């Protein structure tokens, strides 16, 4: 099979026997659950757009493994141009969903595992590269969604994996069998796990020799025995399950959810193991994956930012404030910040280079600068959007009061802005801004901008490592004509 349609994707997820808990209950049908469904719709968009001729160039490409047409989300980047197209595709999807569309984590994991396993095999004569190519060929041939799972719970942040009071706080190998391994532990904050066919697990930090059992990478189907997903709470999440919920949700169709994913003695067959005990390569894998995902944010967050800037501009129109010079200036500032993020995403891609395995990797310094800006600018963009929207964004009566004949007239009459725009449309745009800045989508747009793909300090460590201050000192000495003995 080549590309799946959105409908085929939905049906393929429906067939999985996923073990999901949310709000204290087991969820037997995640596909039609009102809280989880918007999150599936976001991933579905990665399939729907790939079917449309106008997006074919961005959304699809040719596999270097099989020569077949594939969805770009399963691609091994073959050039800097591929890296640029990846960012453009992510901006497009951010614009179409105003949410996290989840499929990038798998794509970023593919590219980092591919280049790293190649180097591990060269040193140790292992079979990881061959194993991984076989897995990725299966993913490409069936157009699968794969959850890239990196972040361990980490327990005491001052202790390494093997020194934790509870040895399971980092995912580890607990048994080696002739036909595979048994793993135990958990991965936290897993976006898209409940919408994925497979999970690709990576270590979360660089490791020392004593952490051998923790240096493990592998993949298994998401409905493998022993896997449990516990869905995270989001601000305003139950609005989605209110009867006839529409206006109050802000973004009725799309969303994203995260899960704590527990691996309770899960079996991994030998052919699905991509790292097992080669501790010195854990750091390489982490650094490469983080680099790709920090590039990704220069696309997805920018696309969501486009929607937020548009919403703020509409709120100003609906309030009759659009001509005020300070409103125009705030929209300019939001645009400036958003396009600066995009410039970083494009720059780290355009400056990409080929790895030893043959796929392309971003410029790591620029990717880290990209993500460091993402930990700040969306907050400022949200602040300006709230400023433009006005306090009514958080004091607005519910749509139930708008629909109640006893109060409808009052809500309609007193919450109107300019006479030519309906109160309902004004409510819709205010609820969208609320959703992006304080509601369910704020997880993906705000807090994820801070912590997703690594918290700010993680980028600062990489910037320090890549910044090459000694070379800059040399430049200064040359200009200042400093001669040393
Ligand atoms: Fe993709 Fe952005 Fe979501 Fe990461 S946060 S999976 S890059 S949409
Ligand atoms: Fe993310």
């Amino acid at each position: 099979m080549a590309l799946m349609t959105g409908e085929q994707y939905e049906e393929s997820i429906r067939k999985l026997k996923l073990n999901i808990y949310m709000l204290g209950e087991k969820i037997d049908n995640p596909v039609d659950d009102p809280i989880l469904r918007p999150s599936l719709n976001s991933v579905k968009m990665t399939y729907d757009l790939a079917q449309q001729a106008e997006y074919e160039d961005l959304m699809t490409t040719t596999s270097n493994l099989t020569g077949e047409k594939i969805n770009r989300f399963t691609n091994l980047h073959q050039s800097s141009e591929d890296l640029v197209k990846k960012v453009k595709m992510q901006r497009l999807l951010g614009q179409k969903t105003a949410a996290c569309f989840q499929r990038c984590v798998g794509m970023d994991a593919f590219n980092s595992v591919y280049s790293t396993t190649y180097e591990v095999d060269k040193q140790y004569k292992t079979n990881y590269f061959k194993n991984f190519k076989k897995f990725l060929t299966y993913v490409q041939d069936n157009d699968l969604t794969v959850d890239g799972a990196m972040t361990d719970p980490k327990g005491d942040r001052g202790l390494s994996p093997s020194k934790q009071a509870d040895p399971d706080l980092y995912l580890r190998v607990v048994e080696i069998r002739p036909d595979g391994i048994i793993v135990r532990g958990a991965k936290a904050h897993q976006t898209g796990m409940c919408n994925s066919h497979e999970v690709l697990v990576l270590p979360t930090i660089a490791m020392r020799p004593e952490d051998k059992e923790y240096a493990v990478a592998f993949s298994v189907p998401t409905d493998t025995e022993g896997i449990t997903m516990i869905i995270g709470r989001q601000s305003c999440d139950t609005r989605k399950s209110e009867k006839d919920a529409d206006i109050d949700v802000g973004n009725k169709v799309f969303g994203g959810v995260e899960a704590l994913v527990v691996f309770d003695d899960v079996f991994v067959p030998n052919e699905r193991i991509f790292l097992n005990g080669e501790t010195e390569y854990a750091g390489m894998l982490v650094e490469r994956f983080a680099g790709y995902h920090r590039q990704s944010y220069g696309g997805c967050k920018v696309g969501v930012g486009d929607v937020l800037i548009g919403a703020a501009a509409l709120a100003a129109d609906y309030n009759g404030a659009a001509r005020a010079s300070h409103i125009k200036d705030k929209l300019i500032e939001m645009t400036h910040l958003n396009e600066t993020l995009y410039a970083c995403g494009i720059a780290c891609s355009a400056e990409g280079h080929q790895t030893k395995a043959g796929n392309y990797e971003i410029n790591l310094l620029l990717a880290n600068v990209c993500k460091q800006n993402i930990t700040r600018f969306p907050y400022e963009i949200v602040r300006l959007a709230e400023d433009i929207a006005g306090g009514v964004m958080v004091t607005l009566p519910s749509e139930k009061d708008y629909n109640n004949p006893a109060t409808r007239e009052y809500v309609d009459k007193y919450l109107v802005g300019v006479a030519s725009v309906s109160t309902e449309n004004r409510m819709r745009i205010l609820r969208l801004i609320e959703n992006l800045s304080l509601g369910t989508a704020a997880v993906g747009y705000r807090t994820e901008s801070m912590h997703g793909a690594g918290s700010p300090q993680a980028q600062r460590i990489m910037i320090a490592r890549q910044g090459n201050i000694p070379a800059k000192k040399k430049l200064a000495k040359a200009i200042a004509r400093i001669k040393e003995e």
Side-chain angles (χ1 to χ4, degrees), residues 28-101:
D28 290 323
N29 177 6
V31 171
D32 299 309
D33 182 275
I35 293 179
L36 297 178
R37 177 64 196 220
S39 155
L40 178 122
N41 286 342
S42 298
V43 182
K44 195 174 171 188
M45 191 56 106
T46 70
Y47 291 89
D48 284 336
L49 292 184
Q51 300 285 330
Q52 296 176 26
E54 76 179 289
Y55 302 123
E56 190 183 6
D57 183 50
L58 275 193
M59 296 298 308
T60 67
T61 185
T62 304
S63 167
N64 69 306
L65 299 176
T66 65
E68 298 292 323
K69 182 177 176 179
I70 52 167
N71 190 300
R72 188 174 294 281
F73 278 98
T74 66
N75 186 37
L76 294 166
H77 315 299
Q78 295 301 304
S79 60
S80 292
E81 196 194 340
D82 258 2
L83 291 168
V84 168
K85 281 185 181 170
K86 171 195 161 186
V87 171
K88 291 186 175 181
M89 168 179 76
Q90 289 166 314
R91 184 172 188 169
L92 172 72
L93 274 146
Q95 293 170 342
K96 297 284 187 189
T97 61
C100 168
F101 36 90

Side-chain angles (χ1 to χ4, degrees), residues 73 90 99-105 107-108 191 293 296-297 299-301 444 448 452:
F73 278 98
Q90 289 166 314
C100 168
F101 36 90
Q102 306 148 48
R103 214 176 163 186
C104 331
V105 203
M107 164 177 54
D108 293 340
T191 313
H293 210 53
S296 286
Y297 279 35
C300 77
K301 300 292 179 257
E448 193 182 48

Side-chain angles (χ1 to χ4, degrees), residues 19-264:
N19 186 25
I20 303 177
Y21 287 83
M22 182 174 66
L23 297 171
E25 284 172 18
K26 178 133 180 19
I27 307 295
D28 290 323
N29 177 6
V31 171
D32 299 309
D33 182 275
I35 293 179
L36 297 178
R37 177 64 196 220
S39 155
L40 178 122
N41 286 342
S42 298
V43 182
K44 195 174 171 188
M45 191 56 106
T46 70
Y47 291 89
D48 284 336
L49 292 184
Q51 300 285 330
Q52 296 176 26
E54 76 179 289
Y55 302 123
E56 190 183 6
D57 183 50
L58 275 193
M59 296 298 308
T60 67
T61 185
T62 304
S63 167
N64 69 306
L65 299 176
T66 65
E68 298 292 323
K69 182 177 176 179
I70 52 167
N71 190 300
R72 188 174 294 281
F73 278 98
T74 66
N75 186 37
L76 294 166
H77 315 299
Q78 295 301 304
S79 60
S80 292
E81 196 194 340
D82 258 2
L83 291 168
V84 168
K85 281 185 181 170
K86 171 195 161 186
V87 171
K88 291 186 175 181
M89 168 179 76
Q90 289 166 314
R91 184 172 188 169
L92 172 72
L93 274 146
Q95 293 170 342
K96 297 284 187 189
T97 61
C100 168
F101 36 90
Q102 306 148 48
R103 214 176 163 186
C104 331
V105 203
M107 164 177 54
D108 293 340
F110 300 153
N111 278 276
S112 42
V113 174
Y114 185 78
S115 62
T116 306
T117 52
Y118 179 86
E119 293 183 38
V120 183
D121 281 9
K122 277 264 168 293
Q123 183 177 343
Y124 287 106
K125 309 281 174 269
T126 37
N127 276 326
Y128 302 139
F129 187 63
K130 191 173 121 237
N131 287 353
F132 183 70
K133 275 199 298 187
K134 188 173 171 210
F135 167 66
L136 190 60
T137 303
Y138 164 71
V139 168
Q140 290 182 343
D141 286 350
N142 294 283
D143 199 8
L144 301 180
T145 291
V146 178
D147 176 69
M150 168 165 271
T151 312
D152 291 84
K154 297 205 278 274
D156 183 337
R157 272 61 175 170
L159 298 175
S160 66
S162 53
K163 300 284 182 299
Q164 297 286 330
D166 180 341
D168 300 338
L169 289 171
Y170 285 78
L171 191 141
R172 65 188 178 123
V173 178
V174 291
E175 192 185 331
I176 297 178
R177 294 183 183 174
D179 54 344
I181 53 174
I182 306 287
V183 297
R184 187 189 304 157
K187 292 287 179 182
H189 326 301
Q190 288 309 299
T191 313
M193 178 71 178
C194 61
N195 302 318
S196 296
H197 306 95
E198 296 271 338
V199 55
L200 173 51
V201 172
L202 316 176
T204 200
I205 51 167
M207 306 224 175
R208 299 192 200 110
E210 64 266 29
D211 300 322
K212 202 168 173 3
E213 72 215 60
Y214 295 91
V216 61
F218 62 88
S219 68
V220 284
T222 45
D223 59 357
T224 301
E225 205 188 325
I227 294 180
T228 302
M229 307 172 204
I230 309 167
I231 304 291
R233 277 225 79 163
Q234 296 175 333
S235 176
C236 313
D237 50 6
T238 47
R239 283 193 198 182
K240 291 176 182 164
S241 55
E242 289 172 7
K243 192 171 172 292
D244 301 325
D246 179 5
I247 300 173
D248 283 359
V249 180
N251 183 352
K252 185 175 162 64
V253 181
F254 303 104
V257 294
E258 280 74 30
L260 173 68
V261 182
V262 179
F263 294 75
D264 194 4

Side-chain angles (χ1 to χ4, degrees), residues 321-334:
R323 281 197 302 279
S325 63
H326 75 98
I327 296 285
K328 287 185 191 158
D329 194 55
K330 281 163 189 157
L331 291 170
I332 291 168
E333 180 65 11
M334 292 165 87

